[in-house]
Amino acid sequence: MQLGSLLIATILSTSATLASPTGSKLVSRASTPDSEGIDNGFYYNWWADRQGNATYTNRAGGSYSVDWTNSIGQFIGGKGWTPASSTRVASYEGTIESNGNAYLQFYGFSKTPYGDYRVLETYGTYNPTLSGRVKGQITCDGATYDVLDIVRNPQGFELPYHQIHSVRNPKLVFGDVKGTIDVACHLAGWAALGFNVQIDPAFQIIATEGYSSSGFSNITVS
């Protein structure tokens, strides 16, 4: 499945997850149930479509891990913050490996007419910029990002919405990863390209997402 399809499923399903917070710590096991809450002072959110075998585990501090094996289904989850902030400077470090579709990204919701926003630091076998929706480039924290505008008009929505993404170019190589994401820089870059994205206060996370692959991630956010 291409990233565009992943995004639609994610924005709808993660919204449903937010409606029923548990506040409980997740236990490592196959097909980890959808959940969100606070763990060691950090917000976490996890969603999976139950068609694969993906395990999410909260670890000490701002750390989490995801393991998936021959997963044909989609999943997304990670740790971060609530409420979201338009001036947040988020740092991450750790390891991610995958033999197929997988992404490490800064993720959150935005206000109408926008749906969600993402800063993709690395990706697997599918390069999302191949969609042909690149609107320009911006530079943040010494890295260059291609900016995508993905317009969606799903059934049940009165109006189409935009999903704005920064995709690091070149991407980080799978393995040990480390970086900083300055949200204000991306917002300013998007605005310069004509996208006035307004942050929804729900949450922001450094998320691992995947589909049709095997892999693992061990990530710490701060």
Side-chain angles (χ1 to χ4, degrees):
M1 184 184 291
Q2 295 184 347
L3 181 62
S5 298
L6 281 173
L7 297 178
I8 276 208
T10 297
I11 191 169
L12 298 178
S13 301
T14 308
S15 295
T17 300
L18 287 172
S20 56
T22 66
S24 61
K25 197 167 186 175
L26 296 180
V27 178
S28 178
R29 58 186 180 275
S31 303
T32 303
D34 301 351
S35 187
E36 66 153 342
I38 303 297
D39 178 77
N40 288 306
F42 288 84
Y43 172 84
Y44 71 90
N45 193 304
W46 169 258
W47 173 85
D49 66 5
R50 309 295 173 84
Q51 296 183 47
N53 182 11
T55 305
Y56 174 89
T57 307
N58 280 321
R59 301 198 180 279
S63 299
Y64 74 89
S65 64
V66 183
D67 293 273
W68 65 101
T69 304
N70 299 322
S71 178
I72 62 171
Q74 178 199 350
F75 62 85
I76 182 170
K79 271 188 173 180
W81 307 267
T82 185
S85 170
S86 61
T87 59
R88 188 174 309 285
V89 178
S91 297
Y92 65 88
E93 61 180 312
T95 304
I96 180 170
E97 297 279 5
S98 176
N99 64 2
N101 291 329
Y103 313 95
L104 183 68
Q105 62 203 316
F106 185 87
Y107 176 83
F109 288 131
S110 41
K111 297 179 181 180
T112 304
Y114 300 98
D116 63 13
Y117 58 91
R118 301 177 180 227
V119 179
L120 274 69
E121 296 291 271
T122 188
Y123 51 85
T125 52
Y126 176 69
N127 179 350
T129 64
L130 296 179
S131 65
R133 294 164 173 148
V134 176
K135 301 302 181 182
Q137 288 188 327
I138 63 175
T139 300
C140 292
D141 294 305
T144 300
Y145 292 84
D146 296 319
V147 177
L148 284 75
D149 174 26
I150 301 175
V151 182
R152 299 297 183 195
N153 190 13
Q155 185 176 2
F157 280 64
E158 294 182 2
L159 297 173
Y161 60 86
H162 299 253
Q163 298 169 312
I164 306 301
H165 302 71
S166 292
V167 182
R168 189 167 180 144
N169 183 9
K171 68 178 182 178
L172 296 179
V173 177
F174 277 168
D176 293 337
V177 292
K178 184 177 182 179
T180 299
I181 297 169
D182 184 341
V183 176
C185 181
H186 286 272
L187 289 173
W190 297 339
L193 293 173
F195 306 112
N196 186 26
V197 177
Q198 300 294 315
I199 297 296
D200 185 286
F203 69 88
Q204 293 164 325
I205 58 176
I206 301 289
T208 299
E209 180 176 14
Y211 178 86
S212 188
S213 63
S214 296
F216 69 89
S217 70
N218 295 295
I219 302 298
T220 300
V221 308
S222 60

